[in-house]
Amino acid sequence: MARRKGQKCWEGIHRDGWLALYGDTTVMTDLMMEIFACLYHSPDRTDNAKHIAQILNMEYRALNAAVGWAGNKIKDICEAERKADAASQKSPILVSGDEPQPDMSPWEYVFNGIEDEDGTYLWIMKEAAADAFREMKRPILWQMWGYGTFFPGIYHPTVEKAASFLRHRIRPSHSSGNG
């Protein structure tokens, strides 16, 4: 697929949809959660694949492949829900009215993006994805302060899975920054 110029921005998944995706291990592998953590803690929630790969001590092509794989999974979920949502009920992941464009690359389902002045392509964490990530971190803070979790029951299992991942997998160097 040819590279399209300009900013890429699709906000078709709402916060609750991202929470569901973060809890779905068939979409969000440990590596994907580490990538999201790196991006969440980056300035302006923006970074490039090579830098994130460097932080994670891996080859950036493998990182790109993981993001593409997750993007294809999210695309499949969105397409299936759009087809099932023909009766005008709002689907749990797709936000009505902001349907994916037919020429979107798989990574655009995962992140927004833009080319910087040097021609480096930057990934930008989607606002709803960042909101959901912040929501997952909240129970960790409450638990660290000894208050337990104050999260609504419907997403409790998802948040517990994600919170457990964050407690055990995120590197200490990511403890500062946004959020």
Side-chain angles (χ1 to χ4, degrees):
M1 180 178 288
R3 186 167 170 168
R4 294 176 300 133
K5 295 285 185 185
Q7 184 169 3
K8 313 299 185 296
C9 183
W10 177 69
E11 295 289 347
I13 301 173
H14 50 74
R15 181 190 66 90
D16 291 347
W18 281 107
L19 282 170
L21 287 171
Y22 289 149
D24 185 346
T25 57
T26 65
V27 177
M28 294 296 174
T29 62
D30 287 353
L31 173 58
M32 282 306 301
M33 292 304 291
E34 288 183 20
I35 293 168
F36 271 97
C38 286
L39 202 54
Y40 181 81
H41 292 287
S42 295
D44 300 322
R45 304 203 196 314
T46 302
D47 207 342
N48 68 65
K50 285 187 178 181
H51 185 250
I52 294 172
Q54 185 179 35
I55 291 169
L56 298 176
N57 297 314
M58 64 181 300
E59 171 63 37
Y60 85 95
R61 287 177 189 90
L63 183 130
N64 277 334
V67 170
W69 182 85
N72 279 322
K73 293 288 229 175
I74 294 170
K75 177 182 178 181
D76 292 346
I77 291 168
C78 289
E79 287 176 356
E81 286 189 356
R82 205 169 56 246
K83 288 175 186 173
D85 197 31
S88 79
Q89 267 188 320
K90 198 172 191 178
S91 66
I93 293 182
L94 199 64
V95 173
S96 304
D98 197 7
E99 291 189 14
Q101 299 301 309
D103 60 346
M104 280 176 50
S105 297
W107 69 265
E108 292 177 73
Y109 287 84
V110 182
F111 306 121
N112 292 328
I114 193 165
E115 261 184 277
D116 71 5
E117 58 278 352
D118 298 327
T120 302
Y121 215 82
L122 301 172
W123 286 337
I124 304 166
M125 192 172 201
K126 296 176 182 293
E127 284 299 317
D131 290 346
F133 203 87
R134 182 174 27 263
E135 190 71 25
M136 287 189 316
K137 286 177 52 170
R138 189 167 299 152
I140 296 168
L141 296 174
W142 283 107
Q143 288 170 359
M144 285 176 13
W145 294 331
Y147 293 110
T149 180
F150 284 62
F151 199 81
I154 189 166
Y155 288 106
H156 185 62
T158 298
V159 171
E160 280 303 313
K161 264 195 226 175
S164 175
F165 171 84
L166 291 171
R167 274 193 300 277
H168 299 293
R169 295 293 304 253
I170 293 182
R171 301 165 192 249
S173 64
H174 291 157
S175 63
S176 63
N178 295 331

